[in-house]
Amino acid sequence: MGAQQVAERFAELYGAGPEGVWAAPGRVNLIGEHTDYNDGFVMPFALPHQAVAAVSRRDDGVLRLHSEDVEGGVVELRLDALAPQTDPEWTAYPAGVVWALREAGHEVTGADIHLSSTVPTGAGLSSSAALEVVIALALNDLYDLGLQRWRLARLCQRAENVYVGAPTGIMDQTASACCEQGHALFLDTRDLSQQQIPFDLVAEGLRLLVVDTQVKHAHSGGEYGKRRAGCEKGAALLGVDALRDIPYDGLDAALARLGDEEEVIHLVRHVVTEDERVERTVALLRAGDTRAIGPVLTEGHASLRDDFRISCPELDLVVDTALAAGALGARMTGGGFGGSAIVLAEAADVDTLTKAVEEAFAAGGFKAPRVFEAVPSAGARRLV
């Protein structure tokens, strides 16, 4: 739904037009997976798919929520009753943002909210972060909180970590809040320093495809948390604050110090080599050698599959099929255990690659994938 449609639906629901309409996008992570909660490097860019919210303030301590994408009517919550991990429904994400703002001392006295999103859910494209960021930006504007984008991202991360109970890193919320059109965001998750790296695929005759395997994943599931705990264990055993502090040229020595901690060794090796892959990708893009990032993406998939062990048969099938059909590179993207893969390809090869992947899924007896082009797009913004 466009901004006008969302505003009109808000008026139908609440009896008056909204004070404004905001949008926040989903994201694709080009490279840098499971590095964000290890204080490492990531490189996402925003998608044209976005969550749109029409919002008005209230002064009575009531939060009213409605989503065009979920069956049911308006949900009404009391701000003074909001408490972490008490809401298993979609409403936990916007309510969590309000809770996080109030916990941080910002005077938010209520809101009426209507939402509509085109970000695929469970596809590893940060539908939850888009939902959080659009609410945070709207309330920041309406209540004149004066918070910078990076701080909004931090509050949204706290909402997801503490209120929802999903142990995600900072990348998704920062990407949704801070990405710029035509660029990928080189983000240092330790100090949140950002560099916008030009990423104009069309100008170079290239395309980046997203293949949504339709296999749903959930960050709040136990496997994601196990990987994060394993990384923290590795950092503790190696005597560093985070795995970011293990230099790439010191990786072999670090792994040797881990002895028989086989599972931790796999996790540490992925994180340290993935940070190096992000830096290599940035260097190649700055040098104007975009095609050369293809093999780096493929290396990343092998590491996620073999060391981090978060791929699945459908994701591996996308990567293997795309590479066999002439792709420049491919890898899974997002948290893993399902979701999406990305494929870097020459523009002339898109139809051939898409057909090959669709036929491979049919032959494997899998649900048909959803394939679309990823266009580096604008971050969160006010529409009306």
Side-chain angles (χ1 to χ4, degrees), residues 180-262:
E180 294 182 4
Q181 187 170 346
H183 293 75
L185 179 67
F186 178 33
L187 173 67
D188 182 333
T189 65
R190 169 163 283 170
D191 62 13
L192 296 189
S193 60
Q194 304 175 19
Q195 298 176 46
Q196 300 287 345
I197 308 298
F199 193 50
D200 187 352
L201 295 167
V202 173
E204 299 189 53
L206 298 171
R207 299 292 187 272
L208 191 75
L209 301 178
V210 175
V211 182
D212 177 3
T213 65
Q214 307 276 3
V215 178
K216 301 300 183 184
H217 77 121
H219 274 167
S220 54
E223 291 300 317
Y224 184 99
K226 287 179 184 176
R227 301 306 188 279
R228 182 164 184 165
C231 290
E232 292 168 353
K233 180 181 180 181
L237 290 172
L238 292 168
V240 294
D241 291 336
L243 295 183
R244 150 76 173 276
D245 297 312
I246 304 299
Y248 179 70
D249 59 8
L251 176 59
D252 289 343
L255 296 182
R257 288 166 54 200
L258 291 171
D260 60 357
E261 292 280 355
E262 193 65 30

Side-chain angles (χ1 to χ4, degrees), residues 33-41 189-190 227-251 254-255 257-258 263-276 308:
E33 219 65 77
H34 289 270
T35 50
D36 58 347
Y37 53 79
N38 289 291
D39 281 3
F41 304 120
T189 65
R190 169 163 283 170
R227 301 306 188 279
R228 182 164 184 165
C231 290
E232 292 168 353
K233 180 181 180 181
L237 290 172
L238 292 168
V240 294
D241 291 336
L243 295 183
R244 150 76 173 276
D245 297 312
I246 304 299
Y248 179 70
D249 59 8
L251 176 59
L255 296 182
R257 288 166 54 200
L258 291 171
E263 186 62 32
V264 174
I265 286 171
H266 283 289
L267 299 178
V268 171
R269 182 164 53 214
H270 166 72
V271 172
V272 175
T273 58
E274 186 79 347
D275 273 335
E276 188 273 339
F308 229 68

Side-chain angles (χ1 to χ4, degrees), residues 86-208:
T86 57
D87 184 355
E89 305 299 329
W90 69 271
T91 49
Y93 294 94
V97 172
V98 175
W99 172 85
L101 285 167
R102 286 166 56 85
E103 282 284 302
H106 302 294
E107 189 174 351
V108 176
T109 56
D112 287 338
I113 298 172
H114 170 60
L115 289 149
S116 179
S117 179
T118 57
V119 185
T121 58
L125 303 176
S126 298
S127 59
S128 59
L131 187 59
E132 293 156 2
V133 169
V134 74
I135 300 302
L137 183 60
L139 296 176
N140 187 52
D141 287 354
L142 289 175
Y143 282 97
D144 294 321
L145 303 181
L147 298 172
Q148 294 177 287
R149 295 297 184 95
W150 69 268
R151 193 171 294 280
L152 290 177
R154 277 287 193 210
L155 286 166
C156 289
Q157 181 198 17
R158 177 168 168 76
E160 189 150 352
N161 289 172
V162 179
Y163 196 90
V164 178
T168 55
I170 190 61
M171 174 182 65
D172 296 350
Q173 293 86 359
T174 305
S176 186
C178 300
C179 278
E180 294 182 4
Q181 187 170 346
H183 293 75
L185 179 67
F186 178 33
L187 173 67
D188 182 333
T189 65
R190 169 163 283 170
D191 62 13
L192 296 189
S193 60
Q194 304 175 19
Q195 298 176 46
Q196 300 287 345
I197 308 298
F199 193 50
D200 187 352
L201 295 167
V202 173
E204 299 189 53
L206 298 171
R207 299 292 187 272
L208 191 75

